[in-house]
Amino acid sequence: MGPSLIEKPAIYVQGDGTYWLAHVPVLRGCIASGTTRDQAIANARRAFRAYRELLDARGVSIEHWKDLDPDAFVVRDLPPDRVVPEDVGPLEEHELRDFLHQFEASRAALLSLVRDIAPEEIERKPTAEMWSVREALEHVMLTEASLLSRLEKWPADPYNSLQAVHRLVFQRFTIMEPADTALDHVVLGRRWTTRKVMRRMLEHEYEHLVHVKEIVAALGSKAQGD
């Protein structure tokens, strides 16, 4: 079954005050929150069942998890380095495939929630405290790009994540239709056009080209000073 499935599945809890998170790594991706430690744990037990049902409904095999009872899971504090035993060790080939199947199922479930929302509703915040749909989706997108970078062992490899994000941009503009190039709309209160997006991408990259050049020069000066 691989190292992610241990003999005694556990719920790992972190937090304080009125915000707690409970992770269930035996089913990678399963997480819940609560305003108290106990509430987060109870929500995590429910989340395990709900996530398992989601995967099953999306055609992902739940063979590894179908006989597990979340009410029997032990509870532990999340380690200080936030790495649980299930996070450690090389993956078997089938575990990589399982991850990709889960990732596809999760994305399909997310898109099914928002696919039919009216354009004007994408931007609207239901309450002053809640995000809009766009803010939530952008957070998912940006966080995944950030997490992807955590795989890198710079500079021992060819900056694969940096290049992967570059390829995403390149692909998006490669498949752009003529109508897309005429884009002119307001996103989160700011006006955006295709030309502006292109300009800001290049400006931002050049700005940080200069920035990184300064950092590299400073590193060289410090090395010489040492």
Side-chain angles (χ1 to χ4, degrees):
M1 287 188 180
S4 64
L5 297 183
I6 57 177
E7 289 185 9
K8 292 183 178 179
I11 297 171
Y12 295 88
V13 189
Q14 67 177 120
D16 58 47
T18 59
Y19 186 67
W20 292 80
L21 284 175
H23 309 259
V24 193
V26 70
L27 176 51
R28 189 178 289 114
C30 184
I31 188 171
S33 62
T35 57
T36 66
R37 188 176 189 273
D38 288 345
Q39 185 185 69
I41 293 166
N43 289 344
R45 299 190 196 279
R46 284 192 288 270
F48 178 88
R49 295 185 175 92
Y51 194 28
R52 185 171 56 187
E53 289 173 7
L54 181 153
L55 295 177
D56 190 33
R58 296 280 169 182
V60 177
S61 172
I62 60 168
E63 185 66 26
H64 295 324
W65 311 291
K66 67 177 184 179
D67 296 326
L68 297 181
D69 177 9
D71 291 334
F73 292 177
V74 299
V75 177
R76 301 190 177 105
D77 290 334
L78 189 72
D81 63 1
R82 301 188 180 186
V83 175
V84 298
E86 294 89 339
D87 290 334
V88 179
L91 291 164
E92 297 178 16
E93 186 176 346
H94 77 85
E95 290 181 286
L96 281 173
R97 290 197 304 269
D98 288 346
F99 163 73
L100 293 174
H101 291 158
Q102 283 184 246
F103 197 55
E104 287 290 297
S106 177
R107 181 52 43 85
L110 178 62
L111 291 178
S112 71
L113 285 175
V114 300
R115 185 171 285 115
D116 298 325
I117 296 178
E120 63 273 11
E121 291 294 284
I122 294 289
E123 302 280 336
R124 190 169 68 85
K125 300 175 70 166
T127 69
E129 294 76 26
M130 295 181 73
W131 284 355
S132 66
V133 170
R134 178 183 284 277
E135 287 174 307
L137 295 181
E138 287 193 356
H139 175 74
V140 170
M141 180 170 60
L142 293 172
T143 299
E144 285 174 1
S146 177
L147 288 171
L148 187 64
S149 74
R150 301 305 188 259
L151 296 175
E152 299 308 313
K153 297 177 289 184
W154 295 338
D157 60 26
Y159 297 87
N160 286 321
S161 292
L162 195 65
Q163 289 297 90
V165 174
H166 174 85
R167 287 193 296 272
L168 287 175
V169 174
F170 199 87
Q171 180 190 43
R172 180 66 184 89
F173 281 90
T174 298
I175 65 171
M176 185 169 282
E177 299 291 338
D180 294 330
T181 66
L183 182 75
D184 189 339
H185 65 172
V186 174
V187 175
L188 300 177
R190 302 178 85 177
R191 184 183 174 194
W192 290 92
T193 68
T194 302
R195 290 175 183 270
K196 180 182 177 183
V197 170
M198 294 164 68
R199 172 173 63 81
R200 286 300 298 131
M201 279 186 175
L202 292 174
E203 285 175 347
H204 189 256
E205 183 112 348
Y206 182 67
E207 179 184 2
H208 287 286
L209 172 67
V210 174
H211 180 210
V212 172
K213 188 182 294 184
E214 292 172 350
I215 295 171
V216 171
L219 288 172
S221 298
K222 188 176 187 302
Q224 291 174 5
D226 292 343

PDB file of all heavy atoms in Angstrom, residues 2 5 9 23 57 59-60 65 67 71 81 83 98 102 106 138 156 181 210 213 217-218:
ATOM      1  N   GLY A   2       2.169   1.152   0.280  1.00  0.00           N
ATOM      2  CA  GLY A   2       3.017   2.326   0.276  1.00  0.00           C
ATOM      3  C   GLY A   2       3.113   2.942   1.652  1.00  0.00           C
ATOM      4  O   GLY A   2       2.307   2.673   2.547  1.00  0.00           O
ATOM      5  N   LEU A   5       0.185   4.795   3.908  1.00  0.00           N
ATOM      6  CA  LEU A   5      -0.862   4.091   4.643  1.00  0.00           C
ATOM      7  C   LEU A   5      -0.229   3.334   5.806  1.00  0.00           C
ATOM      8  O   LEU A   5       0.371   2.288   5.626  1.00  0.00           O
ATOM      9  CB  LEU A   5      -1.605   3.120   3.716  1.00  0.00           C
ATOM     10  CG  LEU A   5      -2.350   3.794   2.559  1.00  0.00           C
ATOM     11  CD1 LEU A   5      -3.106   2.765   1.759  1.00  0.00           C
ATOM     12  CD2 LEU A   5      -3.292   4.864   3.070  1.00  0.00           C
ATOM     13  N   PRO A   9      -4.107   4.860  11.327  1.00  0.00           N
ATOM     14  CA  PRO A   9      -4.317   6.187  10.731  1.00  0.00           C
ATOM     15  C   PRO A   9      -4.510   7.242  11.811  1.00  0.00           C
ATOM     16  O   PRO A   9      -5.115   6.985  12.857  1.00  0.00           O
ATOM     17  CB  PRO A   9      -5.588   5.997   9.901  1.00  0.00           C
ATOM     18  CG  PRO A   9      -5.631   4.534   9.605  1.00  0.00           C
ATOM     19  CD  PRO A   9      -5.077   3.876  10.822  1.00  0.00           C
ATOM     20  N   HIS A  23      -5.489  17.548   9.863  1.00  0.00           N
ATOM     21  CA  HIS A  23      -5.044  16.877   8.645  1.00  0.00           C
ATOM     22  C   HIS A  23      -5.256  15.371   8.780  1.00  0.00           C
ATOM     23  O   HIS A  23      -4.995  14.804   9.845  1.00  0.00           O
ATOM     24  CB  HIS A  23      -3.558  17.135   8.390  1.00  0.00           C
ATOM     25  CG  HIS A  23      -3.167  18.586   8.443  1.00  0.00           C
ATOM     26  ND1 HIS A  23      -2.975  19.347   7.316  1.00  0.00           N
ATOM     27  CD2 HIS A  23      -2.935  19.418   9.502  1.00  0.00           C
ATOM     28  CE1 HIS A  23      -2.630  20.575   7.658  1.00  0.00           C
ATOM     29  NE2 HIS A  23      -2.598  20.645   8.988  1.00  0.00           N
ATOM     30  N   ALA A  57     -17.161   9.053  -6.448  1.00  0.00           N
ATOM     31  CA  ALA A  57     -18.100   9.586  -7.436  1.00  0.00           C
ATOM     32  C   ALA A  57     -17.395  10.043  -8.701  1.00  0.00           C
ATOM     33  O   ALA A  57     -17.993  10.052  -9.787  1.00  0.00           O
ATOM     34  CB  ALA A  57     -18.884  10.746  -6.830  1.00  0.00           C
ATOM     35  N   GLY A  59     -14.769   8.547  -9.981  1.00  0.00           N
ATOM     36  CA  GLY A  59     -14.121   7.428 -10.654  1.00  0.00           C
ATOM     37  C   GLY A  59     -12.741   7.070 -10.142  1.00  0.00           C
ATOM     38  O   GLY A  59     -12.015   6.312 -10.793  1.00  0.00           O
ATOM     39  N   VAL A  60     -12.353   7.601  -8.973  1.00  0.00           N
ATOM     40  CA  VAL A  60     -11.063   7.257  -8.387  1.00  0.00           C
ATOM     41  C   VAL A  60     -11.245   6.054  -7.472  1.00  0.00           C
ATOM     42  O   VAL A  60     -12.175   6.012  -6.659  1.00  0.00           O
ATOM     43  CB  VAL A  60     -10.493   8.443  -7.579  1.00  0.00           C
ATOM     44  CG1 VAL A  60      -9.179   8.057  -6.906  1.00  0.00           C
ATOM     45  CG2 VAL A  60     -10.298   9.645  -8.481  1.00  0.00           C
ATOM     46  N   TRP A  65      -8.997   2.869   1.076  1.00  0.00           N
ATOM     47  CA  TRP A  65      -9.615   3.585   2.193  1.00  0.00           C
ATOM     48  C   TRP A  65     -11.026   3.128   2.533  1.00  0.00           C
ATOM     49  O   TRP A  65     -11.599   3.598   3.501  1.00  0.00           O
ATOM     50  CB  TRP A  65      -9.657   5.086   1.863  1.00  0.00           C
ATOM     51  CG  TRP A  65      -8.350   5.624   1.389  1.00  0.00           C
ATOM     52  CD1 TRP A  65      -7.207   5.785   2.119  1.00  0.00           C
ATOM     53  CD2 TRP A  65      -8.037   6.053   0.058  1.00  0.00           C
ATOM     54  NE1 TRP A  65      -6.205   6.297   1.343  1.00  0.00           N
ATOM     55  CE2 TRP A  65      -6.682   6.470   0.054  1.00  0.00           C
ATOM     56  CE3 TRP A  65      -8.762   6.138  -1.132  1.00  0.00           C
ATOM     57  CZ2 TRP A  65      -6.054   6.960  -1.083  1.00  0.00           C
ATOM     58  CZ3 TRP A  65      -8.121   6.620  -2.274  1.00  0.00           C
ATOM     59  CH2 TRP A  65      -6.790   7.020  -2.236  1.00  0.00           C
ATOM     60  N   ASP A  67     -12.366   0.522   3.836  1.00  0.00           N
ATOM     61  CA  ASP A  67     -12.633  -0.175   5.096  1.00  0.00           C
ATOM     62  C   ASP A  67     -12.154   0.596   6.321  1.00  0.00           C
ATOM     63  O   ASP A  67     -12.240   0.090   7.443  1.00  0.00           O
ATOM     64  CB  ASP A  67     -11.975  -1.560   5.071  1.00  0.00           C
ATOM     65  CG  ASP A  67     -12.571  -2.469   4.010  1.00  0.00           C
ATOM     66  OD1 ASP A  67     -13.788  -2.349   3.761  1.00  0.00           O
ATOM     67  OD2 ASP A  67     -11.824  -3.271   3.416  1.00  0.00           O
ATOM     68  N   ASP A  71     -13.745   7.303  12.736  1.00  0.00           N
ATOM     69  CA  ASP A  71     -14.008   7.459  14.162  1.00  0.00           C
ATOM     70  C   ASP A  71     -12.965   6.749  15.018  1.00  0.00           C
ATOM     71  O   ASP A  71     -12.829   7.035  16.215  1.00  0.00           O
ATOM     72  CB  ASP A  71     -15.401   6.928  14.505  1.00  0.00           C
ATOM     73  CG  ASP A  71     -16.513   7.805  13.932  1.00  0.00           C
ATOM     74  OD1 ASP A  71     -16.270   9.013  13.722  1.00  0.00           O
ATOM     75  OD2 ASP A  71     -17.612   7.273  13.669  1.00  0.00           O
ATOM     76  N   ASP A  81       7.812  20.750  12.697  1.00  0.00           N
ATOM     77  CA  ASP A  81       8.249  21.035  11.318  1.00  0.00           C
ATOM     78  C   ASP A  81       7.140  20.801  10.296  1.00  0.00           C
ATOM     79  O   ASP A  81       7.352  20.941   9.090  1.00  0.00           O
ATOM     80  CB  ASP A  81       9.481  20.205  10.957  1.00  0.00           C
ATOM     81  CG  ASP A  81       9.222  18.702  10.968  1.00  0.00           C
ATOM     82  OD1 ASP A  81       8.064  18.282  11.233  1.00  0.00           O
ATOM     83  OD2 ASP A  81      10.173  17.942  10.704  1.00  0.00           O
ATOM     84  N   VAL A  83       5.825  18.180   9.217  1.00  0.00           N
ATOM     85  CA  VAL A  83       6.013  16.995   8.384  1.00  0.00           C
ATOM     86  C   VAL A  83       5.566  15.788   9.192  1.00  0.00           C
ATOM     87  O   VAL A  83       6.125  15.510  10.255  1.00  0.00           O
ATOM     88  CB  VAL A  83       7.489  16.828   7.947  1.00  0.00           C
ATOM     89  CG1 VAL A  83       7.674  15.529   7.178  1.00  0.00           C
ATOM     90  CG2 VAL A  83       7.917  18.019   7.096  1.00  0.00           C
ATOM     91  N   ASP A  98      -2.006   7.512  -8.202  1.00  0.00           N
ATOM     92  CA  ASP A  98      -3.128   7.817  -7.315  1.00  0.00           C
ATOM     93  C   ASP A  98      -3.241   9.321  -7.086  1.00  0.00           C
ATOM     94  O   ASP A  98      -4.337   9.889  -7.090  1.00  0.00           O
ATOM     95  CB  ASP A  98      -2.957   7.113  -5.963  1.00  0.00           C
ATOM     96  CG  ASP A  98      -3.172   5.605  -6.046  1.00  0.00           C
ATOM     97  OD1 ASP A  98      -3.701   5.149  -7.079  1.00  0.00           O
ATOM     98  OD2 ASP A  98      -2.802   4.913  -5.082  1.00  0.00           O
ATOM     99  N   GLN A 102      -6.379  11.680  -8.033  1.00  0.00           N
ATOM    100  CA  GLN A 102      -7.037  12.510  -7.018  1.00  0.00           C
ATOM    101  C   GLN A 102      -7.037  13.973  -7.427  1.00  0.00           C
ATOM    102  O   GLN A 102      -8.027  14.692  -7.255  1.00  0.00           O
ATOM    103  CB  GLN A 102      -6.332  12.370  -5.670  1.00  0.00           C
ATOM    104  CG  GLN A 102      -6.645  11.100  -4.916  1.00  0.00           C
ATOM    105  CD  GLN A 102      -5.971  11.093  -3.564  1.00  0.00           C
ATOM    106  OE1 GLN A 102      -5.085  10.284  -3.311  1.00  0.00           O
ATOM    107  NE2 GLN A 102      -6.364  11.991  -2.686  1.00  0.00           N
ATOM    108  N   SER A 106     -10.319  16.178  -7.878  1.00  0.00           N
ATOM    109  CA  SER A 106     -10.517  17.365  -7.068  1.00  0.00           C
ATOM    110  C   SER A 106     -10.780  18.582  -7.947  1.00  0.00           C
ATOM    111  O   SER A 106     -11.677  19.387  -7.674  1.00  0.00           O
ATOM    112  CB  SER A 106      -9.278  17.597  -6.194  1.00  0.00           C
ATOM    113  OG  SER A 106      -9.401  18.784  -5.450  1.00  0.00           O
ATOM    114  N   GLU A 138      -8.311  32.177  -7.548  1.00  0.00           N
ATOM    115  CA  GLU A 138      -6.964  32.710  -7.743  1.00  0.00           C
ATOM    116  C   GLU A 138      -6.038  32.262  -6.622  1.00  0.00           C
ATOM    117  O   GLU A 138      -4.859  31.981  -6.849  1.00  0.00           O
ATOM    118  CB  GLU A 138      -7.002  34.231  -7.853  1.00  0.00           C
ATOM    119  CG  GLU A 138      -7.586  34.719  -9.172  1.00  0.00           C
ATOM    120  CD  GLU A 138      -7.354  36.199  -9.418  1.00  0.00           C
ATOM    121  OE1 GLU A 138      -6.792  36.879  -8.533  1.00  0.00           O
ATOM    122  OE2 GLU A 138      -7.739  36.664 -10.510  1.00  0.00           O
ATOM    123  N   ALA A 156      20.717  22.816  -8.067  1.00  0.00           N
ATOM    124  CA  ALA A 156      21.208  21.508  -8.492  1.00  0.00           C
ATOM    125  C   ALA A 156      20.437  20.931  -9.673  1.00  0.00           C
ATOM    126  O   ALA A 156      20.832  19.931 -10.242  1.00  0.00           O
ATOM    127  CB  ALA A 156      21.156  20.520  -7.323  1.00  0.00           C
ATOM    128  N   THR A 181      -7.669  38.392 -27.582  1.00  0.00           N
ATOM    129  CA  THR A 181      -6.727  39.509 -27.604  1.00  0.00           C
ATOM    130  C   THR A 181      -7.432  40.845 -27.448  1.00  0.00           C
ATOM    131  O   THR A 181      -6.795  41.854 -27.177  1.00  0.00           O
ATOM    132  CB  THR A 181      -5.916  39.510 -28.916  1.00  0.00           C
ATOM    133  OG1 THR A 181      -6.793  39.780 -30.014  1.00  0.00           O
ATOM    134  CG2 THR A 181      -5.226  38.165 -29.136  1.00  0.00           C
ATOM    135  N   VAL A 210      16.360  42.518 -12.740  1.00  0.00           N
ATOM    136  CA  VAL A 210      17.231  43.531 -12.134  1.00  0.00           C
ATOM    137  C   VAL A 210      17.417  43.246 -10.650  1.00  0.00           C
ATOM    138  O   VAL A 210      18.534  43.327 -10.118  1.00  0.00           O
ATOM    139  CB  VAL A 210      16.626  44.933 -12.348  1.00  0.00           C
ATOM    140  CG1 VAL A 210      17.449  45.989 -11.605  1.00  0.00           C
ATOM    141  CG2 VAL A 210      16.540  45.264 -13.833  1.00  0.00           C
ATOM    142  N   LYS A 213      19.695  40.307 -10.132  1.00  0.00           N
ATOM    143  CA  LYS A 213      21.055  40.721 -10.481  1.00  0.00           C
ATOM    144  C   LYS A 213      21.712  41.441  -9.304  1.00  0.00           C
ATOM    145  O   LYS A 213      22.883  41.225  -8.983  1.00  0.00           O
ATOM    146  CB  LYS A 213      21.024  41.626 -11.708  1.00  0.00           C
ATOM    147  CG  LYS A 213      22.397  41.976 -12.278  1.00  0.00           C
ATOM    148  CD  LYS A 213      22.288  42.915 -13.476  1.00  0.00           C
ATOM    149  CE  LYS A 213      21.602  42.218 -14.641  1.00  0.00           C
ATOM    150  NZ  LYS A 213      21.589  43.101 -15.851  1.00  0.00           N
ATOM    151  N   ALA A 217      24.937  40.132  -7.199  1.00  0.00           N
ATOM    152  CA  ALA A 217      26.093  41.002  -7.022  1.00  0.00           C
ATOM    153  C   ALA A 217      26.427  41.161  -5.543  1.00  0.00           C
ATOM    154  O   ALA A 217      27.601  41.145  -5.145  1.00  0.00           O
ATOM    155  CB  ALA A 217      25.827  42.363  -7.654  1.00  0.00           C
ATOM    156  N   ALA A 218      25.387  41.311  -4.705  1.00  0.00           N
ATOM    157  CA  ALA A 218      25.595  41.452  -3.264  1.00  0.00           C
ATOM    158  C   ALA A 218      26.196  40.190  -2.670  1.00  0.00           C
ATOM    159  O   ALA A 218      27.054  40.249  -1.785  1.00  0.00           O
ATOM    160  CB  ALA A 218      24.282  41.808  -2.575  1.00  0.00           C
TER     161      ALA A 218
END
